[in-house]
């Protein structure tokens, strides 16, 4: 019955909304997550990196080509609706790399309130919420960004670790203590941002911390 309802919903959605491939912008069928051409460029296996502090991070895509274009459109060209389509591949990477792990809560790298006001949404939060829903897990905001620092992509790699120190704080330590946490962000480059978020969560005596991003920048 649930499958039948989902099919009906997809057909209705197709009549009401135009669905586009998040990687190239081509119109696709409502039940698809991307076009066939872009699908052929997907890596066969997830990419694995480590954030600062040794926290493992998995990503379905490299930050290059059609995947870089998808991220830029998602973040800067009012394509927040892409979150649902992009999150499916993140969940694939999560299930593959973390098949032997269990998480209590999914959270995201927070955005400063001024930046959030300018952009209108936190792309990491949208991805995290979609991933949590697909995984059947709880989503929660565990951290707040209290200081508006320089954007990481605007400074040299060697300066990024220092740039994020002291900008994040826990919202409620009781919500963090003992929890096994999956942190979501859009991109991992040096791993400084995810590493600092993990460090703050770890200070609140959480359980295991793992990370997932949509893309990983292989070359700094």
């Amino acid at each position: 019955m649930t499958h039948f309802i989902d099919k009906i919903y997809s057909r209705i959605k197709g009549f009401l909304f135009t669905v586009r491939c998040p990687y190239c912008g081509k119109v696709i069928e409502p039940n698809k997550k991307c076009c066939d051409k872009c699908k052929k460029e997907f890596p066969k296996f997830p990419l694995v990196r480590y954030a600062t502090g040794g926290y493992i991070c998995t990503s379905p895509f490299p930050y290059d080509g059609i995947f870089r274009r998808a991220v830029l459109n998602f973040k800067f060209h009012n394509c927040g609706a892409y979150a649902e389509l992009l999150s499916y591949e993140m969940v694939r990477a999560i299930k593959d790399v973390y098949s032997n792990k269990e998480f209590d809560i999914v959270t995201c790298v927070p955005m400063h309130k001024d930046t959030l006001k300018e952009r209108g949404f936190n792309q990491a939060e949208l991805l995290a919420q979609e991933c949590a829903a697909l995984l059947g897990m709880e989503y929660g905001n565990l951290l707040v960004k209290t200081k508006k620092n320089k954007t990481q992509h605007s400074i040299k790699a060697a300066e990024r670790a220092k740039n994020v120190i002291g900008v994040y704080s826990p919202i409620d330590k009781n919500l963090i203590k003992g929890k096994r946490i999956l942190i979501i962000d859009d991109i991992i480059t040096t791993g400084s941002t995810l590493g600092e978020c993990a460090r703050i969560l770890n200070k609140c005596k959480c359980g295991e911390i793992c990370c997932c991003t949509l893309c990983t920048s292989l070359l700094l």
Side-chain angles (χ1 to χ4, degrees):
M1 179 61 73
T2 302
H3 179 65
F4 174 76
I5 294 173
D6 287 342
K7 287 181 67 176
I8 295 297
Y9 172 74
S10 294
R11 289 180 181 178
I12 294 173
K13 186 177 179 181
F15 284 119
L16 297 178
F17 305 101
T18 298
V19 182
R20 295 185 179 276
C21 173
Y23 310 98
C24 70
K26 180 181 177 180
V27 175
I28 56 176
E29 296 176 18
N31 62 328
K32 289 191 173 183
K33 312 307 176 195
C34 68
C35 70
D36 294 337
K37 182 178 179 181
C38 289
K39 182 70 174 180
K40 293 178 181 178
E41 295 192 39
F42 285 18
K44 187 174 182 180
F45 301 105
L47 305 168
V48 175
R49 291 274 305 282
Y50 288 87
T52 303
Y55 300 96
I56 188 172
C57 179
T58 181
S59 312
F61 305 127
Y63 187 55
D64 190 25
I66 62 171
F67 310 116
R68 181 176 184 274
R69 186 187 313 146
V71 171
L72 294 178
N73 285 334
F74 177 45
K75 293 173 66 171
F76 303 117
H77 297 287
N78 299 314
C79 294
Y82 281 170
E84 180 181 357
L85 301 176
L86 297 171
S87 63
Y88 277 90
E89 296 308 312
M90 295 179 71
V91 167
R92 177 178 62 84
I94 290 167
K95 289 182 176 180
D96 189 327
V97 176
Y98 303 138
S99 60
N100 63 336
K101 299 182 185 296
E102 292 185 4
F103 300 103
D104 298 305
I105 191 166
V106 179
T107 193
C108 73
V109 172
M111 182 179 285
H112 190 271
K113 61 180 181 180
D114 292 345
T115 308
L116 182 60
K117 186 176 181 180
E118 292 170 7
R119 186 171 299 172
F121 63 91
N122 177 356
Q123 68 279 355
E125 181 177 36
L126 295 183
L127 291 171
Q129 290 172 339
E130 293 291 346
C131 286
L134 290 171
L135 292 165
M137 293 170 52
E138 178 186 356
Y139 170 80
N141 292 311
L142 301 181
L143 299 172
V144 61
K145 190 171 185 179
T146 56
K147 179 182 177 183
K148 190 175 183 181
N149 57 348
K150 296 179 181 178
T151 56
Q152 291 289 78
H153 65 80
S154 69
I155 60 177
K156 295 180 180 178
E159 301 172 354
R160 295 185 182 186
K162 185 177 180 180
N163 187 51
V164 295
I165 293 175
V167 303
Y168 303 109
S169 298
I171 294 175
D172 185 344
K173 293 181 180 180
N174 292 323
L175 295 177
I176 299 171
K177 187 175 181 180
K179 295 291 180 64
R180 296 164 296 183
I181 301 171
L182 177 63
I183 311 176
I184 300 293
D185 203 2
D186 56 346
I187 308 168
I188 179 172
T189 305
T190 62
S192 298
T193 299
L194 283 167
E196 179 63 9
C197 288
R199 186 182 72 83
I200 298 301
L201 292 171
N202 208 25
K203 285 181 65 177
C204 298
K205 300 180 180 179
C206 66
E208 186 174 23
I209 301 174
C210 295
C211 310
C212 177
T213 63
L214 177 62
C215 293
T216 177
S217 182
L218 299 178
L219 296 176
L220 304 184

